[in-house]
Amino acid sequence: LGGDRAMWDDRPSRTEKRRTLVLAMTCLALELLATPFRPGIVLGQSMAPTFHSGQVFLSSPVDDPSSLRQGDVVLVTVSGQVLLKRIHAVAGEKFWAIAPEDKALGQLDRILSPSELLALRQAAVCPNDLKDVVRVTVPEGCVFLLGDSPDNSLDSRHFGPVAASDVRGRVVVAHLFSLWADGSSSGSTALAREPLR
């Protein structure tokens, strides 16, 4: 009986358990706040099929804009809005695109792959047939951004290259979980909202 009593006295009280739990939760919260990774929520389908509305991802800050590479998925501030886009080209890189004369200066219809460019050149009867085809060079200190779903994306084809310093983060984990699965947008806040056209 005396041994049982001694064991009972060594057990932590409910108050001590609560204090320990609160301390552990506080330490966990402080650790999460100190980590460079930040969660974000996708709103819109401009990055489908890779990202869908309601998908939660993790991003890390970009301390050195020169570390950005083609193919990186980034969060970027454009006209006060944060967008989720993929880097198509970085400073100094060149690519071909279609820029019809009826479009505003600098706006592009479509980015051409090397095979598409070759097919257009082979199909052209005279040089005038290629007057809408332009070679684009990304200016120094900038990146050219595209959405993975071009038909649903407002990107650098519309607003031009973006300063690399406007890139807020790089996606490091594309899909943690989804908040909703039906494609409807039931949340009012997000890190990456596709702007209304």
Side-chain angles (χ1 to χ4, degrees):
L1 188 62
D4 291 340
R5 174 126 183 132
M7 276 179 46
W8 176 259
D9 288 342
D10 285 344
R11 292 182 184 169
S13 68
R14 281 186 159 178
T15 304
E16 289 172 330
K17 286 182 183 177
R18 285 187 190 133
R19 285 182 186 153
T20 302
L21 181 61
V22 167
L23 178 63
M25 296 298 285
T26 303
C27 289
L28 179 62
L30 290 173
E31 182 68 28
L32 288 173
L33 289 173
T35 184
F37 302 112
R38 293 288 179 252
I41 305 166
V42 179
L43 290 182
Q45 297 297 329
S46 75
M47 288 296 289
T50 314
F51 295 84
H52 296 280
S53 194
Q55 186 171 324
V56 177
F57 60 88
L58 280 183
S59 66
S60 66
V62 176
D63 297 325
D64 178 14
S66 68
S67 70
L68 296 169
R69 297 288 175 257
Q70 184 183 43
D72 286 350
V73 176
V74 296
L75 289 164
V76 62
T77 303
V78 177
S79 300
Q81 296 188 53
V82 180
L83 306 177
L84 182 70
K85 300 295 172 193
R86 188 178 302 277
I87 295 178
H88 176 71
V90 297
E93 290 185 335
K94 303 176 188 312
F95 58 90
W96 293 91
I98 295 178
E101 290 179 1
D102 61 344
K103 287 276 186 177
L105 185 64
Q107 288 196 348
L108 306 174
D109 254 3
R110 204 168 96 229
I111 307 302
L112 297 172
S113 68
S115 59
E116 290 173 320
L117 179 63
L118 180 62
L120 282 173
R121 285 181 171 163
Q122 289 173 343
V125 177
C126 65
N128 201 33
D129 292 344
L130 298 175
K131 66 179 174 158
D132 291 345
V133 176
V134 295
R135 189 160 196 198
V136 178
T137 303
V138 181
E140 282 305 312
C142 293
V143 291
F144 194 92
L145 306 167
L146 293 178
D148 287 357
S149 178
D151 293 340
N152 299 317
S153 180
L154 184 64
D155 50 40
S156 288
R157 293 170 302 157
H158 307 96
F159 49 71
V162 174
S165 59
D166 289 339
V167 174
R168 296 176 51 157
R170 179 189 285 116
V171 173
V172 292
V173 177
H175 192 211
L176 285 178
F177 56 89
S178 292
L179 295 177
W180 54 86
D182 61 355
S184 64
S185 173
S186 60
S188 58
T189 25
L191 271 177
R193 176 189 291 269
E194 188 67 11
L196 298 173
R197 294 187 190 195

